[in-house]
Amino acid sequence: MGDRDELRKGETPWKKLSKQELEHQYTPSRWVVRLGAEEALRTYSQTGNEATKEARATRRSLLDVRYGDGEVEKLDIYFPEKVSEALPFCVFLHGGNWQSGSKDASAFMVNPLTAQGVTVVVVGYAIAPKGTLDQMVDQVARSLVFVQKQYPRNEGIYLCGHSAGAHLAAMMLLANWTKHGVTPNLKGFFLVSGIYDLEPIMHTSVNDPLLLTLEDARRNSPQRLLEVGLMQPVDPDCHILVIVGHHDSPEFHRQSREFYQTLCRAGWKSSFKGVHDVDHFEIIWKLTQPDYVLTQVGRASLHHGQHGSCYSPDTQGDLGRRGAQWNHRAGFLASRRLGDLTIGIECCPTCFLYFTSLRNSPR
């Protein structure tokens, strides 16, 4: 029996969908609400190109730094005005269905974050069909090891990934750092509109260049690996934010919610958030805007002794309708009321992945 026939067995929600329905669910451009599909993709690409051009022109940087011998095993490092090794580092992994995108058009968050004292690293990896998924996962791991070795005094590495990049970032929760000889100082994960179970995409055109087998999909699905192993956090202070856009497809919402729930069961310090009124592309390109709610992840909080916890995703509401306010005394996020709902994210002591109040939001 072939891989695809085997996957059709069982009662998992996605298995009840037809091939056409799966294609629709896993094609983000079909879910945009303000622009046509082609225009949304064009705007996303143009915004990334412009943000990268501006970042390279206005920020101190080291470009095309090699972290390996492969053709695309390079990263760009953008520094804040006051350069120091003892800074938080935000490492960004671009999306593109593992088959498009580039570090050279993905500096969305560089200017807003460097302005707040954060060093930003944008990683290149070998997309399909030249690169396999196993290679991509290994490249991301080695890029983090490189950053840790180059800047051993960092105040924490915070890994942010969008879409396919969120999947690759999530795989770092399961990385075997022993074989690399160094453990990166990972303090936070920021997973934006990701896919954490790869089996459904075997039935879509996404898999045409990836050529995933069932074994490949399962070996590279953090959702499945965590369910099987319920791997305990290496660092109890590491906090994971699982984010999904309001207008992402139902399958993207299901995947994000189920991954968050699995993280909680495994004991990871996790939170789940929906960002109000953004689609799969707006959720990331708006990071170029200093007052965008997801851009407000700025500087490190050095408070100690606080403990994060899991919150029910059903009681948190959507981000973006109102800002959330960082409470420096308590070390947690206390939001304003959202109708009958209140957002609360309790963050780890040194995590800079928190949402501060919007500068222009009403008090």
Side-chain angles (χ1 to χ4, degrees):
M1 183 179 293
D3 288 342
R4 297 196 175 196
D5 291 332
E6 183 177 344
L7 285 174
R8 287 299 179 182
K9 294 181 178 180
E11 295 300 320
T12 305
W14 68 265
K15 295 180 181 179
K16 300 176 183 179
L17 301 177
S18 67
K19 181 177 176 62
Q20 291 72 27
E21 290 170 328
L22 281 171
E23 185 72 23
H24 185 64
Q25 289 285 327
Y26 286 96
T27 306
S29 60
R30 297 185 182 183
W31 295 86
V32 297
V33 294
R34 274 172 283 276
L35 303 172
E38 291 186 5
E39 186 177 357
L41 291 169
R42 185 165 53 251
T43 300
Y44 172 77
S45 177
Q46 180 180 350
T47 304
N49 281 317
E50 291 175 353
T52 303
K53 183 178 180 180
E54 180 181 359
R56 291 178 174 181
T58 61
R59 293 297 187 262
R60 300 181 186 182
S61 62
L62 294 174
L63 304 178
D64 294 324
V65 179
R66 285 202 168 276
Y67 65 85
D69 297 328
E71 179 183 355
V72 298
E73 292 181 354
K74 303 174 185 178
L75 48 80
D76 296 336
I77 308 173
Y78 299 90
F79 299 98
E81 183 175 348
K82 295 182 179 180
V83 179
S84 169
E85 285 189 14
L87 289 172
F89 280 69
C90 178
V91 177
F92 181 68
L93 306 174
H94 67 79
N97 278 339
W98 305 274
Q99 58 203 265
S100 65
S102 165
K103 73 173 181 62
D104 297 319
S106 298
F108 298 99
M109 64 182 67
V110 167
N111 280 9
L113 288 191
T114 53
Q116 298 181 54
V118 179
T119 299
V120 179
V121 180
V122 185
V123 177
Y125 57 90
I127 57 177
K130 287 187 176 181
T132 67
L133 206 53
D134 289 316
Q135 288 174 326
M136 297 178 212
V137 171
D138 179 64
Q139 287 170 334
V140 171
R142 287 189 286 111
S143 73
L144 293 173
V145 167
F146 176 86
V147 171
Q148 181 63 39
K149 287 181 175 179
Q150 291 296 308
Y151 304 98
R153 294 174 53 219
N154 70 76
E155 291 186 349
I157 297 173
Y158 301 85
L159 187 55
C160 176
H162 171 236
S163 195
H167 159 264
L168 295 173
M171 286 296 291
M172 296 304 101
L173 296 170
L174 301 147
N176 178 9
W177 300 115
T178 301
K179 76 174 185 178
H180 295 286
V182 64
T183 300
N185 185 27
L186 289 166
K187 292 297 183 182
F189 286 73
F190 193 63
L191 308 178
V192 184
S193 294
I195 297 175
Y196 310 103
D197 175 8
L198 302 188
E199 293 187 17
I201 69 171
M202 290 181 60
H203 300 275
T204 72
S205 61
V206 174
N207 197 37
D208 291 347
L210 288 172
L211 300 175
L212 293 178
T213 65
L214 177 57
E215 181 182 355
D216 294 332
R218 290 178 173 176
R219 185 174 59 253
N220 288 290
S221 291
Q223 170 71 33
R224 179 179 180 83
L225 295 172
L226 280 175
E227 284 178 340
V228 172
L230 288 181
M231 184 176 179
Q232 294 297 309
V234 175
D235 185 346
D237 286 336
C238 186
H239 191 92
I240 304 166
L241 298 180
V242 182
I243 310 295
V244 67
H246 184 172
H247 300 300
D248 269 315
S249 75
E251 271 294 283
F252 273 83
H253 277 260
R254 179 188 67 80
Q255 290 236 12
S256 293
R257 187 179 297 267
E258 290 185 1
F259 189 59
Y260 157 77
Q261 292 167 341
T262 299
L263 287 167
C264 286
R265 286 194 297 271
W268 293 84
K269 194 180 295 185
S270 308
S271 299
F272 176 93
K273 288 297 166 198
V275 183
H276 181 64
D277 198 29
V278 294
D279 61 40
H280 189 81
F281 305 100
E282 292 169 334
I283 198 172
I284 204 72
W285 67 250
K286 283 191 174 184
L287 286 171
T288 58
Q289 303 171 5
D291 60 350
Y292 174 48
V293 66
L294 291 192
T295 309
Q296 301 295 318
V297 295
R299 60 194 178 275
S301 169
L302 300 179
H303 299 285
H304 296 278
Q306 304 301 324
H307 299 284
S309 61
C310 293
Y311 286 77
S312 167
D314 294 320
T315 63
Q316 294 184 83
D318 285 341
L319 284 173
R321 285 177 261 185
R322 293 286 184 90
Q325 183 176 5
W326 177 248
N327 184 325
H328 286 281
R329 288 188 178 181
F332 64 89
L333 279 169
S335 77
R336 303 177 181 86
R337 297 291 296 181
L338 302 181
D340 294 328
L341 301 177
T342 300
I343 294 175
I345 310 178
E346 199 171 335
C347 289
C348 59
T350 59
C351 186
F352 83 98
L353 292 176
Y354 55 79
F355 304 100
T356 59
S357 57
L358 297 179
R359 294 187 179 91
N360 299 323
S361 62
R363 297 288 179 181

